Amino acid sequence: MHVIVLGAGIIGISTAWHLLQQGHDVTVVDRQPDAALETSFANGAQISVSFCEPWANAGAPWKVAKWLLRDDSPLLFRPKLDPHQWRWGLSFLGQCNDAAFERNVRQLVALGRYSHESLKALVADTGIEYQRLERGILHFFSSAADFEAGAQGAELMRRYGVDRRVLGRDEVLAVEPALRAFGPNIHGGTFTPSDESGDAQVFTQKLAALCRQRGATFLYETAVDGIDQAGGHISGVRVRDVHTGLVRTLVGDQYVAAMGSYTAPLLRRLGLWLNIYPAKGYSATMKLKRPGDASVVSLLDDTRKIAISRLGDTIRIAGTAELAGYDTGLDGATARRRCQALVDRYEALFPGVADTSEPNFWTGLRPSTPTNIPYIGRSRIGNLWLNAGHGTLGWTHGAGSGQALAELMSGLRPALSFGFCGEALPAARPFVPVARPSAQQS
Ligand SMILES: Cc1cc2nc3c(=O)[nH]c(=O)nc-3n(C[C@H](O)[C@H](O)[C@H](O)COP(=O)(O)OP(=O)(O)OC[C@H]3O[C@@H](n4cnc5c(N)ncnc54)[C@H](O)[C@@H]3O)c2cc1C
């Protein structure tokens, strides 16, 4: 069958790859001139299977309220006259309890594991290189109270079979000696040795090139303006050449919507109400002056909720979230402050290691759902499939989300316990909460 994939981020390209593997004809449409030029461009680079807790937990409302007035807070909610923002916010509050947290973590761990296997197989098959480092993720804490909560969170994750180890300060420094200058401020950490890091943009663009070699058609600089429906089916996709303005209709047998945060407004016009809202994040990428003194283990700084990942001779610092609509500006006062805060924090942690004079700043919109669980599966419209809403974990879940959807579309059953669209989640063991771990972020 001929499948039209809308969106060439990590999710769309991974879906295209796995559809080709299943023997389908694939056309990929994106408004950008290449793959991975929006949210998959400069993220935190972490393949974070074992640090996957959603923002929504029983302690989150209190924290968000406390942060409401602080411009530099890790999670900033800017109330707008936007019913979609309020719907998202209310659903988020509905997830802030132990039972929902447990349900969500269970699915995120399952998808993460499946996706990690999928990624490893894909890399083994293709030999794609993308600054991959299989050195684990180290979460370090600068206060005793946060470390205690982090240690309890590790205990919770171990119940799901996640190997998250609790480390004292010396052990943290043994795992990543580059932290030694900041060492006296560190109270402890948690470490997940099986996690990894790598450049999502490089990976996605190389995979897109391989898709093209295997026969996929790419329509770049082509905006999706609308989707036409007739008789309960999608009859075509209206696309526009972004240079000439020429409009035409593309027709396939099946369609996949993988346009990140933009999936929700487009599908609303078809009466499909996906609860995806953009959460703006930032990153700074800097050249290293002293590569030998820079970290190689991917890091999570609990105080600022930022990820720090080594990508060759550069370092990437990423994090913070603003729920403030579809703004991708870097020029406003808040954006400038948030970007500079990433650089300042890096300098405090690793003095003199990076060239802070010319950071590459970037912002992207995480396609966030209140649960952090993506929509993967068939929509109410028979030949329209969804792969969107991957929030903080789209890079981690990219390979597996593509594989799972391609399998579903091919009539196969993906090997993971997950609530695909329209399906109930298989029953779980009763849950006994042990802690209210702080949300991970990057
Ligand atoms: C600061 C930050 C740090 C992050 N860190 C991590 C991390 O460390 N690990 C992790 O796993 N995840 C991380 N993420 C999340 C991850 O980057 C996203 O979940 C992921 O990139 C989403 O991929 P996507 O393919 O759904 O969206 P995108 O990459 O945005 O792709 C969607 C594509 O659709 C196209 N598109 C949209 N609308 C249209 C239209 N109308 N017509 C044509 N084309 C259209 C866009 O051009 C784009 O190419 C981070 C995100 C941010 C912002």
Side-chain angles (χ1 to χ4, degrees):
M1 68 188 173
H2 177 208
V3 184
I4 299 183
V5 177
L6 309 176
I10 174 63
I11 302 302
I13 294 300
S14 157
T15 307
W17 170 260
H18 287 287
L19 285 167
L20 290 164
Q21 297 286 88
Q22 296 286 348
H24 304 298
D25 292 333
V26 176
T27 299
V28 180
V29 184
D30 201 288
R31 58 188 171 195
Q32 298 290 347
D34 202 341
L37 292 184
E38 296 205 2
T39 312
S40 305
F41 183 72
N43 65 22
Q46 297 188 326
I47 297 295
S48 182
V49 177
S50 319
F51 285 109
C52 63
E53 294 95 312
W55 290 337
N57 62 60
W62 180 80
K63 271 195 183 156
V64 175
K66 198 176 66 173
W67 287 335
L68 208 52
L69 299 173
R70 265 184 47 198
D71 217 22
D72 63 343
S73 65
L75 180 62
L76 188 64
F77 180 68
R78 286 209 187 282
K80 293 171 92 75
L81 279 175
D82 175 357
H84 306 298
Q85 187 198 44
W86 284 93
R87 172 179 172 240
W88 192 96
L90 289 173
S91 308
F92 177 85
L93 284 178
Q95 297 297 322
C96 291
N97 59 75
D98 289 333
F101 182 78
E102 186 273 339
R103 210 172 42 238
N104 297 335
V105 166
R106 194 154 60 87
Q107 293 202 72
L108 291 166
V109 170
L111 181 57
R113 285 219 178 98
Y114 174 83
S115 197
H116 205 182
E117 292 311 310
S118 176
L119 176 69
K120 288 185 210 165
L122 199 160
V123 173
D125 275 3
T126 60
I128 288 184
E129 290 180 3
Y130 54 98
Q131 309 285 10
R132 180 184 191 195
L133 285 173
E134 295 170 89
R135 304 290 291 257
I137 295 180
L138 175 63
H139 190 167
F140 63 93
F141 299 86
S142 317
S143 98
D146 289 339
F147 175 41
E148 195 180 320
Q152 287 174 336
E155 172 62 34
L156 172 77
M157 294 306 282
R158 280 201 293 274
R159 291 190 194 181
Y160 297 98
V162 168
D163 179 15
R164 192 187 291 180
R165 302 173 189 173
V166 179
L167 309 182
R169 178 195 293 135
D170 291 347
E171 292 167 307
V172 167
L173 297 180
V175 169
E176 184 43 275
L179 276 166
R180 63 189 165 275
F182 194 71
N185 303 298
I186 293 176
H187 283 258
T190 58
F191 180 49
T192 53
S194 57
D195 285 336
E196 38 181 288
S197 58
D199 193 322
Q201 183 217 0
V202 172
F203 175 89
T204 308
Q205 291 187 345
K206 287 189 176 173
L207 190 60
L210 288 177
C211 288
R212 196 192 287 274
Q213 275 175 25
R214 297 214 173 172
T217 302
F218 280 83
L219 302 176
Y220 283 129
E221 300 180 301
T222 302
V224 177
D225 280 352
I227 302 180
D228 296 323
Q229 191 183 172
H233 268 63
I234 301 301
S235 56
V237 179
R238 266 171 292 120
V239 299
R240 177 177 39 85
D241 183 301
V242 297
H243 297 296
T244 63
L246 196 71
V247 175
R248 61 187 169 128
T249 299
L250 302 175
V251 177
D253 301 312
Q254 305 283 326
Y255 302 81
V256 176
M259 289 167 288
S261 295
Y262 298 88
T263 310
L266 195 84
L267 298 196
R268 239 176 259 145
R269 293 186 238 152
L270 295 169
L272 298 176
W273 294 81
L274 307 189
N275 203 354
I276 299 175
Y277 196 78
K280 184 179 185 179
Y282 299 92
S283 72
T285 307
M286 297 185 286
K287 273 215 158 344
L288 290 167
K289 284 197 294 200
R290 299 191 340 242
D293 291 330
S295 50
V296 285
V297 175
S298 191
L299 301 172
L300 261 171
D301 172 7
D302 186 74
T303 307
R304 300 296 166 92
K305 311 273 186 230
I306 53 176
I308 300 173
S309 294
R310 176 76 174 265
L311 297 169
D313 60 356
T314 66
I315 197 85
R316 165 90 42 83
I317 308 116
T320 83
E322 280 165 46
L323 289 152
Y326 285 80
D327 162 42
T328 50
L330 276 172
D331 294 333
T334 304
R336 282 205 305 271
R337 241 191 323 276
R338 287 185 158 240
C339 286
Q340 192 54 45
L342 295 175
V343 175
D344 294 347
R345 182 62 175 174
Y346 186 80
E347 189 57 22
L349 296 169
F350 302 96
V353 171
D355 177 359
T356 55
S357 64
E358 283 183 61
N360 273 324
F361 291 129
W362 168 84
T363 183
L365 302 176
R366 298 177 189 85
S368 302
T369 63
T371 53
N372 211 28
I373 294 171
Y375 293 90
I376 304 174
R378 195 197 286 266
S379 77
R380 271 198 294 106
I381 303 173
N383 58 345
L384 176 62
W385 300 77
L386 309 174
N387 212 347
H390 292 73
T392 60
L393 291 170
W395 173 215
T396 305
H397 292 161
S401 298
Q403 181 177 345
L405 189 70
E407 287 176 352
L408 289 170
M409 292 178 74
S410 307
L412 303 170
R413 182 75 214 165
L416 78 158
S417 172
F418 187 80
F420 295 106
C421 300
E423 287 184 7
L425 178 66
R429 284 172 287 122
F431 172 68
V432 185
V434 293
R436 286 180 184 174
S438 58
Q440 310 303 323
Q441 192 184 81
S442 60

